Amino acid sequence: MSDTNAVVDALSWTCPAPLRDRPRVVMGHGGGGAMSAELVEQILLPALAGPEPAPLTDSAVVELGGARLAFSTDSFVVRPLFFPGGSIGDLAVNGTVNDLAMSGARAAFLSCGLILEEGVGIDTVTQVAEAIGAAARAADVRVVTGDTKVVEAGHGDGVYINTAGVGLVPAGADLRPDRVVPGDVVLLSGPIGLHGVAILSERENLAFESDVRSDCAALGGLVEAMLSVTTTNLHVLRDPTRGGLAASLNEIATAAGCGVVVQERAVPVPPSVAGACAMLGLDPMYVANEGKLVAFVAREHADEVLAAMRAHPLGAEAAIIGEAVADHPGMVVARTGLGGTRVVDMPLGEQLPRIC
Amino acid sequence: MSDTNAVVDALSWTCPAPLRDRPRVVMGHGGGGAMSAELVEQILLPALAGPEPAPLTDSAVVELGGARLAFSTDSFVVRPLFFPGGSIGDLAVNGTVNDLAMSGARAAFLSCGLILEEGVGIDTVTQVAEAIGAAARAADVRVVTGDTKVVEAGHGDGVYINTAGVGLVPAGADLRPDRVVPGDVVLLSGPIGLHGVAILSERENLAFESDVRSDCAALGGLVEAMLSVTTTNLHVLRDPTRGGLAASLNEIATAAGCGVVVQERAVPVPPSVAGACAMLGLDPMYVANEGKLVAFVAREHADEVLAAMRAHPLGAEAAIIGEAVADHPGMVVARTGLGGTRVVDMPLGEQLPRIC
């Protein structure tokens, strides 16, 4: 069976559920997969559209007062609030810093909106605020404006956080999936699945062989190191959070109109993650990360960008994991260790809800 | 009894409750009054402080790439989602647009973070999104980046919205309460109490004599008209939302180190609001507004700014309501219609929770 046939067969397996007819919001609408995309594309974008149609992206690049700014927002509803390797406060800072970094921007200023549930301990609020402060100082970003609302007991969930951020996009950086062309090399900054498995093990009180800690980290410095090699030949960056590496690669493939081929064995999966995923029936490609990025780079600069990544603490285990191809546009396929091929679908929802 | 004695007596009446020892968040922490201020000053600011101490304001003015930007955020948890005169979507746009306007900035770009509760109707989400879109178009601001999270049924409350916004601060504008000096004239853009009473009547299904509609509106254009008269002599602007006019005037008096005297009869209170407040035992000075502003202006430009306000649809009923004085610094007093004097305290929490 040729690869093409395998791909066509695989296509017919994708979920036929009539998502568009659901009358109510379900957890999957917040999972960063196909259902999230449908909610955005069918409901939110048409309603929010301004005079000029514009995508509603994770991070927008806008011009204001002569400055080229990246502007981004994220809300955080993770349970539990504190987990191995981080907390909702770390996520709230790093999530928005990373969204800006994916536009090439170094975050400069953050806003912080808290929705507190009546009855939550002041000590919990203090710990969360201290985590936000520590993460902001570590990422060299300033929290300059905020807002606090309180909802009645039973209507919230302790603490929800929203952050938004602005940063300056460096001259020459133009990171967009539609800049990807066949031949681009796919780089991954390190091992996948740590955040999702850490959350799951804490939430379900599962004891895996070894402790798995979230990889939650701010990627601004790593991106700066990559851009110092090449601004124009760095085509697109994504942080594979909700929906994991699979969602990020599918989004890029769709927007670029390219195919993507991933060498499965080249994708670093820590043994602890592989073990937990095997036990629970999860695919590491779909598990969330909070301190990783995937990059599509023109072939001529791939090795140099890889070297710059490996020289940075957050990219020490960076690897080339695949390439963009002209075949099967919009589709991601993985070459398995056994020499076979499988389609890496866009996830529908999220395997684990509330991971950020 | 002299005014000074009245003031001293009144001071001893302020609430002696030991707020700082509360171990848990209560509704009042979200009310925009003294308890909110304590939460910010005692918990959030110390935790979030960067290398340089900075206030955590409703709207920050920052420098980025040579541009002077206003940056602000607000979360919205109002119940019900739709009410006479507006909806949570209108509030989400206008609230952030108005925070930016209070820095003198015209809002350019908004972010929009939704926290949806599992089970909420897609039609409700659509209506909310359409309200956001319509309000954004009306305020001439573009929603350019967003995020959606879903929380399990029973953990949220249908729809929470966070918006953040950026806008350009015009040259010469420098709106800060510490620029207020004795002699400044206090201007109010129109009648107070409409938003809070509209929410209350809808929530509690109260039928007042006449329908009260929220005054929810975007104030960017009105502020632009005021700045066209004078940039330097417009000292400070505030939108009296949570905590009402009383909270805004107290915040300014405290930060300016001035006293403020308000002529009670000069403050426009619609008969419907006065009636509802009398029936419910509320003071209109403490009821939230969502489309009003209070301005402190140097005396030489007060009449001209007032005229510019009255020429704008959202300032047609603008009035001079008082002045900044050197006496009783940090304190707001009202001259009553009968010639007496009463202290207008900083509210503790909010008379009505979840009004925005």
Side-chain angles (χ1 to χ4, degrees), chain B residues 5 32 50 52 58 60 66 78 91 93 107 115 120 152 176 190 211 236 243 260 278 302 355:
Chain B
N5 280 341
E52 315 148 49
D58 269 359
V78 66
L91 287 179
V93 170
I115 299 178
V120 67
E152 292 92 347
R176 292 180 278 124
D211 282 353
V236 72
V260 173
I355 42 79

Side-chain angles (χ1 to χ4, degrees), chain A residues 93 97 106-109 133-143 218, chain B residues 51:
Chain A
V93 170
V97 164
R106 189 79 184 236
F109 303 105
R137 287 186 291 273
D140 197 20
V141 60
R142 281 176 56 203
V143 181

